[in-house]
Amino acid sequence: MNKSALLIAASAAVLLAAPAQAQTQPAAPPVTHGAPLTGICILSLDGAIGSSTVGKYVQTRLQQISQQVQTELTAEQTVLQNEAKALDAQKASLDQGSFDQKNASLQVRANALQRKAQIRERELQATQQKALGRVGQELEPVIRGSYQQARCSLLIQRDAVILANPAMDITPQVITGLNAKITQFSFDRERLDQAAPAAAAQPARRP
């Protein structure tokens, strides 16, 4: 994976795992460390993103957008369910042709709602990827700057290390640098249902 893809993957991991991480964890026993190794630094991408102001903002905003989608789909589903119940109650008073016609109309709308739900799911995925890509872009130069400031010769992901002297960890510096650079940015749900008709309307290119 390239650096941007790695940062996005780490961002996604920490944001999606945030509710689980919020649970209280038992305190680890104290450890006596040896002297820090000169030139070797450690960084927790998850910790840097999850503890940063912009990382928390992105998580909250993604949750808001997801809730908006859920509210939209639930409202339409409720309308269809109520109409289906009403039609079922009228079944005895309707002739078979009228009942079949109304039932077929409801089925068409139910299928359309299912397609919309699938589009919204892809939109949420695209929104998350775009937002995390922005965080990754902002984070890369901060990591490089912290690496150089700490005079590192080797930077290791903390997840790949069982134990290490905290003096070798540049995560706090990265968090401080990212907070100083950006705290939030505006983004909304990606609209794939609008992009598709626009793309289809474009004339085909000649070979």
Side-chain angles (χ1 to χ4, degrees):
M1 299 175 67
N2 58 36
K3 289 185 293 184
S4 297
L6 178 61
L7 291 172
I8 292 173
S11 303
V14 67
L15 292 179
L16 294 176
Q21 293 174 352
Q23 299 176 359
T24 302
Q25 299 292 334
V31 176
T32 301
H33 297 279
L37 300 177
T38 303
I40 298 181
C41 300
I42 295 171
L43 170 67
S44 171
L45 285 173
D46 288 358
I49 297 169
S51 299
S52 69
T53 302
V54 69
K56 294 176 182 178
Y57 164 78
V58 168
Q59 177 192 350
T60 300
R61 181 64 183 135
L62 288 173
Q63 290 174 344
Q64 291 173 347
I65 295 173
S66 179
Q67 184 60 50
Q68 291 170 359
V69 169
Q70 183 177 354
T71 300
E72 174 194 12
L73 297 177
T74 300
E76 294 188 29
Q77 183 182 30
T78 300
V79 170
L80 284 175
Q81 289 175 340
N82 291 338
E83 292 187 19
K85 291 178 182 178
L87 178 60
D88 190 57
Q90 299 171 5
K91 185 175 182 179
S93 60
L94 291 174
D95 61 83
Q96 189 63 40
S98 298
F99 176 82
D100 290 343
Q101 183 178 5
K102 291 179 179 293
N103 187 55
S105 177
L106 279 176
Q107 186 61 53
V108 169
R109 290 166 59 192
N111 292 340
L113 179 58
Q114 184 178 12
R115 289 193 297 271
K116 176 184 281 191
Q118 294 171 347
I119 291 175
R120 292 293 181 268
E121 181 180 0
R122 293 197 299 270
E123 288 176 341
L124 290 176
Q125 294 172 351
T127 303
Q128 175 179 287
Q129 183 177 7
K130 186 174 181 179
L132 297 180
R134 171 67 185 277
V135 174
Q137 291 174 357
E138 301 289 349
L139 185 58
E140 282 190 57
V142 174
I143 293 175
R144 289 197 301 269
S146 298
Y147 176 92
Q148 293 174 341
Q149 185 177 7
R151 298 182 179 276
C152 304
S153 298
L154 176 66
L155 182 59
I156 302 175
Q157 166 67 296
R158 197 166 71 187
D159 291 346
V161 178
I162 298 176
L163 287 173
N165 191 315
M168 301 161 59
D169 195 339
I170 65 171
T171 304
Q173 295 93 307
V174 171
I175 294 172
T176 300
L178 187 58
N179 287 344
K181 186 179 182 183
I182 187 172
T183 58
Q184 66 180 49
F185 55 92
S186 299
F187 69 93
D188 206 343
R189 190 185 84 235
E190 295 295 300
R191 305 298 177 116
L192 301 181
D193 52 354
Q194 295 178 1
Q202 295 181 356
R205 295 182 179 181
R206 293 182 178 181

